[in-house]
Amino acid sequence: MMLIPCPHCGPRAHAEFTFDRPVEAITRPDETPDALVRNLFSRDNPRGPSRELWRHTYGCRSWITLTRDTATHAITDVRPVGADA
Amino acid sequence: MKYSALSLLRAGLGGHKDWPRAWRDPDPKPHYDVIIIGGGGHGLTTAFYLAAVHGVRKVAVLERSWIGGGNTGRNTTIVRSNYRLPQLHALMELSLKRWEGMSDEINYNVMFSQRGALFLGHSDSDMLQLAQKGDAMRADGIDADLMTRDQVARLIPLLDVSSTARYPVQGGLIQRRGGTARHDAVAWGYARAADRLGVDIIQNCEVTGMDITGGRITGVQTSRGAIGADRVGIAVAGNSGRVAALADLRLPIESHLLQAFVSEPVKPMIDTVIMTQSLHCYISQSDKGEIVLGGDPDAYPTYSQRGAPHIIEKAAAEALALVPALSRLRMLRSWAGTTDMSFDGSPFIDATPVEGLYFNGGWCYGGFKATPGSGWLFAHLLARGESHPVAAPFRLDRFETGHTMDEPGVGPMPQNR
């Protein structure tokens, strides 16, 4: 079980959260069809740190981004969505 | 040596001390016609059929750890072909037919037991969907029988079919030819059968790089040195993205995890594979007597092979509601496998943009049942350079062209399956 530090609610059990997609797969309205297909339907799928979009679905329902190691589940750099540098 | 009742008797008289090793432990040769990366069920069946059907004898299977140590030994051993889409019917039925002859074909008892695979329906809409699925299966020549609640109750007396049950049972759809098999035996049996045809099975040999010249693969770099090859096939489901990245390929796959767990062994109590249309819980009893349970995937990318307890809790709660008699059992072990989640739930058996490099993966959490069919089709592709008609729809570029095969119809997010 991962403990995810929600920027609004503090540390909460990961059962309260749902994974949406890696940040690389967030699509934008102004993308070309080729970029859209690439972003929607292919992945780096790294073993190691991955920047991801999650939602605190069963808590404050906010969207957040975080960096999570896909091998160790270590979570760092959690931000409200839109606050990415 | 050929395994038989006579060889068993002979070895038994000698106290079982003289069994020869089941396959050789060769050093890699400098060059092979075909290298298969991944010594799981799919890689081993591919190597076997390359040698047995296509006459390609200079074949190596490279396994990072040991044979049967990956997902082949981490599944819940269920075999069935009760899908809805015609492309998946063709694929899974080809596979199921190979299961039916497998133990004879490879001279190894894989304990394939066609005890029936039953999907329970819990509502009117469940029963409608099951009836539609059954019709689709029968139209493609696959056995399927819709069952009433009373018929289900007679088949599985321990199932709670009362009107007050947490998950009321209205009926079910059974594929009587479905069942289970001994998963380790599948890996060991195909390793031995392939080895007898001259295939080199090289364990503790991790692929660390691919030699690509002018868009064509010429070999692989491994932890045991460079090995040349005319053609290379990737069959490493779970780690497909990492191996494909060695050739600078990006795949329509995320690696997730699926947990399973088993109870202490008990006397026979469930002789059917129980699955359900509305829940995500499946129950069977192994030949050792353990109750084997599986549930939802954890639904996020991970290579940890370590799942969260709330998933186990949910699967256990559903299993207890369906079969209350399980409540006194103690769970012995739980584990997780890394699943190659594709974006439509269907696998890939296809050439890659690198000439001579072929890919087999994206089996989601349903690869075990497809083991012999996958190998049959991948061997065809590797030997001939073109897809078998059954494998033709399972292309890597199907998302770009719109030819997805989305069995549950839930769209392009792997965690929704």
Side-chain angles (χ1 to χ4, degrees):
Chain A
M1 178 77 78
M2 294 179 282
L3 200 59
I4 300 181
C6 173
H8 308 287
C9 312
R12 295 297 185 101
H14 109 244
E16 294 183 11
F17 295 79
T18 40
F19 166 79
D20 192 78
R21 64 186 78 188
V23 164
E24 73 192 36
I26 296 174
T27 52
R28 311 283 177 196
D30 56 352
E31 272 169 0
T32 63
D34 282 351
L36 191 72
V37 164
R38 177 185 157 85
N39 291 342
L40 265 183
F41 297 120
S42 70
R43 294 287 189 270
D44 285 342
N45 199 18
R47 183 189 172 100
S50 177
R51 189 81 193 151
E52 295 173 335
L53 178 65
W54 285 67
R55 191 181 189 200
H56 194 182
T57 314
Y58 306 106
C60 66
R61 304 176 73 184
S62 296
W63 293 92
I64 58 175
T65 57
L66 50 82
T67 299
R68 192 177 57 95
D69 189 304
T70 59
T72 65
H73 290 179
I75 293 169
T76 51
D77 198 14
V78 187
R79 303 179 192 202
V81 75
D84 275 298
Chain B
M1 101 188 265
K2 189 172 160 59
Y3 294 158
S4 65
L6 191 64
S7 70
L8 186 62
L9 181 67
R10 267 203 208 113
L13 292 172
H16 291 295
K17 286 180 185 141
D18 299 321
W19 288 105
R21 63 179 304 147
W23 60 87
R24 297 166 296 130
D25 183 21
D27 287 322
K29 296 190 184 90
H31 189 272
Y32 290 93
D33 292 344
V34 178
I35 284 178
I36 314 286
I37 305 173
H42 291 229
L44 292 165
T45 49
T46 303
F48 173 74
Y49 291 124
L50 271 172
V53 177
H54 301 282
V56 183
R57 296 297 175 101
K58 284 189 67 183
V59 178
V61 177
L62 309 184
E63 167 55 42
R64 171 176 69 163
S65 62
W66 69 90
I67 295 302
N71 285 335
T72 306
R74 286 174 176 265
N75 53 69
T76 51
T77 78
I78 298 168
V79 176
R80 56 186 178 88
S81 64
N82 50 358
Y83 285 75
R84 177 146 176 193
L85 297 178
Q87 301 95 322
L88 290 163
H89 283 162
L91 172 66
M92 295 304 181
E93 184 60 14
L94 182 148
S95 191
L96 182 53
K97 289 205 170 104
R98 300 227 69 82
W99 276 104
E100 289 172 328
M102 184 185 292
S103 289
D104 283 339
E105 181 173 39
I106 61 176
N107 180 230
Y108 203 103
N109 185 3
V110 297
M111 298 168 81
F112 181 47
S113 160
Q114 292 179 294
R115 57 186 66 183
L118 173 71
F119 267 88
L120 298 174
H122 303 284
S123 63
D124 289 347
S125 69
D126 271 9
M127 291 310 295
L128 188 65
Q129 287 183 42
L130 289 175
Q132 288 173 338
K133 181 191 261 188
D135 286 347
M137 289 166 64
R138 292 163 72 111
D140 278 342
I142 301 173
D143 74 299
D145 289 306
L146 206 60
M147 299 178 83
T148 64
R149 188 181 71 166
D150 289 345
Q151 287 171 320
V152 169
R154 275 199 296 279
L155 183 70
I156 310 167
L158 293 175
L159 196 67
D160 184 358
V161 297
S162 67
S163 57
T164 56
R166 171 67 183 87
Y167 304 112
V169 174
Q170 283 204 14
L173 180 75
I174 190 165
Q175 181 181 27
R176 296 185 197 279
R177 289 162 60 240
T180 60
R182 171 101 200 275
H183 51 191
D184 301 316
V186 175
W188 299 334
Y190 273 99
R192 173 173 165 273
D195 176 85
R196 291 176 71 184
L197 295 175
V199 171
D200 281 357
I201 292 163
I202 302 164
Q203 302 179 70
N204 300 307
C205 180
E206 180 170 2
V207 171
T208 54
M210 302 219 189
D211 298 328
I212 296 167
T213 317
R216 179 172 182 87
I217 194 149
T218 57
V220 294
Q221 298 289 328
T222 78
S223 54
R224 294 176 69 173
I227 310 175
D230 296 335
R231 287 177 179 172
V232 176
I234 300 173
V236 296
N239 284 290
S240 291
R242 298 177 64 211
V243 174
L246 300 174
D248 290 328
L249 298 175
R250 207 175 126 100
L251 298 173
I253 287 172
E254 282 178 9
S255 295
H256 289 212
L257 74 74
L258 181 65
Q259 302 186 69
F261 43 114
V262 296
S263 74
E264 58 192 323
V266 289
K267 288 186 176 176
M269 60 186 286
I270 295 171
D271 61 359
T272 308
V273 179
I274 306 172
M275 293 163 286
T276 102
Q277 183 70 16
S278 285
L279 315 175
H280 206 125
C281 163
Y282 32 98
I283 309 168
S284 64
Q285 187 169 19
S286 75
D287 290 330
K288 269 191 285 186
E290 304 151 323
I291 302 296
V292 186
L293 297 175
D296 276 323
D298 274 36
Y300 50 86
T302 174
Y303 290 90
S304 66
Q305 295 186 322
R306 195 180 65 234
H310 66 277
I311 304 284
I312 300 178
E313 191 176 359
K314 179 163 177 280
E318 291 178 356
L320 290 193
L322 292 169
V323 185
L326 297 176
S327 67
R328 302 295 292 278
L329 289 182
R330 290 186 171 84
M331 286 297 143
L332 277 191
R333 286 179 288 129
S334 78
W335 67 93
T338 309
T339 52
D340 237 24
M341 301 302 291
S342 71
F343 292 176
D344 59 359
S346 297
F348 307 97
I349 303 173
D350 198 7
T352 72
V354 178
E355 208 183 326
L357 181 64
Y358 297 85
F359 179 76
N360 177 339
W363 291 93
C364 298
Y365 35 75
F368 179 69
K369 67 174 83 71
T371 302
S374 164
W376 181 268
L377 298 170
F378 201 36
H380 182 105
L381 177 62
L382 280 159
R384 306 196 183 183
E386 59 186 38
S387 282
H388 187 286
V390 170
F394 298 93
R395 293 171 61 91
L396 278 164
D397 67 356
R398 64 177 180 258
F399 301 99
E400 295 163 49
T401 59
H403 294 86
T404 58
M405 286 165 286
D406 188 352
E407 168 95 3
V410 295
M413 284 299 164
Q415 68 270 25
N416 294 342
R417 321 220 139 259

